Amino acid sequence: MSPPLRSGFSRLLAARLSLMHALNFLGVGFYLPFFPVWLASKGLSDIDIGYVLAIPILVRVFVASSVTGLGDRLQPNLLLALLNALAATLYFALAPQDQLVPIAMLTALSAIALSGVVPLADVLTTEQVKAGALRDYGRVRLWGSVTFVLSNLAGGYLIAQHGAWLIPFVLAGSSSLAALAALQAPSPPGGIASAVRQGAPPASFKLPFWLAVGAAACVNATHAALYAFGSLHWRSLGFSGEAIGWLWAVGVLAEIAVFLIAGGIAARGLVGLRWIAIAALVAALRFGAMSADLNLSLTFLLQLLHGITFGCAHLGSLAAVSALAPDARRAAAQGRLVAAGALAMGVMTVLSGYLYRLFGPGVFLAMVPVALLGLVLAALAILRARGNTGLGGRI
């Protein structure tokens, strides 16, 4: 293929994958801030809402690995379309419900379908990067973050104008569009691995893989106190609602910037372990500093570090986990990464509730040892994997 044709093919491939990521996160941007609003509009109590919101976390812990692992035996783009279509159907069925039990059951079923969506999209993208057909994972994935922010803004406007009743319909429409985007997404180069086609027993995951997963899960879990109590803490410091909104926006913009500038990390294999270690160290500094009563300017500077503590950790974990996974089990590897992250995040979120009640902003200090544990696990993974090129050169 001539260079102009190769360049044109790469741009078309990037556009198709960008659309897939953008529409996958469109619904996430509506769900996170506004699904609790819909639950409250149905008359559920605060305790009932807490139970319903905990369901997707539990689902990711127990089924994300299995659901995503189906992508090693089926075409992952077709599986992704099927999961999104199933989620859309379940959201339509959820709309007329007003009792806790059917709402909880349909939420659980939709969470099962959605548990494989993000990791399968990552598999489809990273496989193209590793095959050399796509240059930069980050410049494709950043569109998911962009649509997440835009749907946050659009959701607030829609609810203010029309009410909370439309939220399940918006979620159903978003998943329907995501299903169509998945159908146009390219299949991984080479299709399903030959070992899977021939029915060979699956290769096992080695210790460096589990160390990398554990390190990434720890770094991810350091954000638990921020997600749960960041706004409450900032409000206690006297920051306005507008300022708090900008603090969250700055974090996402920093994340997008990292994807734009350093997205090539995802193609560098085991070098990603270094990025997880860097993210762990910065997380310890970030959340240690957040426990102090900082002014607004310094808090904005801390939020810029989200680009490292989330963005670099995400890119590094994708690179390292993909390099350390057996060829025929890369979808299952992404599922295990999601499940471990959900488990660590769930545990730290629950613990943060108790710590915030007892110590207030001291809860952020509790994230420091979690970050340091991630740093230790990343260092051990580097030592155990040293010399293994893993598509990314020696580490």
Side-chain angles (χ1 to χ4, degrees):
M1 187 182 294
S2 65
L5 287 177
R6 186 181 299 113
S7 177
F9 173 77
S10 180
R11 284 197 296 269
L12 177 61
L13 181 65
R16 293 166 67 186
L17 291 170
S18 296
L19 179 63
M20 175 190 69
H21 282 282
L23 292 177
N24 279 342
F25 278 87
L26 182 65
V28 180
F30 283 106
Y31 178 91
L32 286 179
F34 303 119
F35 191 64
V37 176
W38 180 79
L39 294 174
S41 75
K42 290 293 184 175
L44 271 63
S45 68
D46 292 341
I47 293 175
D48 290 342
I49 291 174
Y51 284 134
V52 173
L53 294 179
I55 289 172
I57 297 175
L58 295 174
V59 165
R60 286 196 297 273
V61 172
F62 292 107
V63 308
S65 180
S66 298
V67 172
T68 308
L70 293 174
D72 290 322
R73 299 184 174 277
L74 307 173
Q75 289 294 344
N77 54 339
L78 297 180
L79 177 60
L80 179 58
L82 178 62
L83 292 175
N84 273 313
L86 177 58
T89 302
L90 291 166
Y91 278 133
F92 275 122
L94 183 64
Q97 307 301 326
D98 55 12
Q99 299 297 319
L100 175 62
V101 173
I103 287 175
M105 290 179 62
L106 288 168
T107 299
L109 292 173
S110 63
I112 291 172
L114 292 171
S115 68
V117 166
V118 172
L120 283 170
D122 283 335
V123 168
L124 287 167
T125 307
T126 54
E127 288 298 296
Q128 296 289 347
V129 172
K130 289 161 68 173
L134 186 69
R135 292 180 55 189
D136 195 314
Y137 165 89
R139 292 177 182 242
V140 169
R141 169 60 177 78
L142 68 85
W143 291 105
S145 299
V146 170
T147 54
F148 177 85
V149 175
L150 293 178
S151 59
N152 285 170
L153 300 174
Y157 172 80
L158 287 173
I159 292 172
Q161 294 295 316
H162 303 289
W165 64 270
L166 55 69
I167 292 173
F169 296 102
V170 172
L171 293 173
S174 299
S175 291
S176 299
L177 292 173
L180 294 175
L183 287 175
Q184 60 81 50
S187 299
I192 303 171
S194 60
V196 174
R197 288 196 301 265
Q198 297 169 6
S204 61
F205 295 105
K206 305 299 184 182
L207 180 59
F209 169 84
W210 290 113
L211 290 170
V213 167
C218 285
V219 178
N220 182 55
T222 61
H223 298 80
L226 172 68
Y227 295 157
F229 301 106
S231 294
L232 291 176
H233 173 57
W234 292 329
R235 185 176 297 171
S236 73
L237 295 177
F239 300 165
S240 67
E242 182 181 11
I244 291 172
W246 277 107
L247 284 169
W248 287 111
V250 163
V252 178
L253 290 174
E255 168 190 322
I256 292 172
V258 168
F259 287 152
L260 182 64
I261 297 169
I265 298 169
R268 298 184 62 192
L270 295 180
V271 176
L273 291 171
R274 291 180 179 173
W275 289 87
I276 298 174
I278 291 170
L281 181 60
V282 173
L285 297 173
R286 177 189 183 188
F287 295 113
M290 194 172 172
S291 64
D293 293 342
L294 301 177
N295 61 33
L296 184 59
S297 298
L298 291 175
T299 303
F300 268 109
L301 290 177
L302 281 185
Q303 280 298 93
L304 289 174
L305 295 180
H306 190 74
I308 299 175
T309 62
F310 176 82
C312 287
H314 180 73
L315 293 172
S317 62
L318 281 181
V321 166
S322 181
L324 291 168
D327 287 342
R329 303 196 70 190
R330 289 191 178 128
Q334 291 297 327
R336 281 159 173 74
L337 180 64
V338 170
L343 176 60
M345 179 65 79
V347 170
M348 291 308 300
T349 299
V350 172
L351 181 61
S352 294
Y354 290 101
L355 293 175
Y356 187 75
R357 184 175 63 184
L358 292 172
F359 305 111
V363 66
F364 300 109
L365 280 178
M367 303 301 107
V368 174
V370 180
L372 295 178
L373 176 59
L375 177 61
V376 170
L377 292 175
L380 290 174
I382 289 172
L383 291 174
R384 292 301 298 261
R386 187 175 294 280
N388 183 339
T389 59
L391 303 178
R394 291 181 178 272
I395 57 173

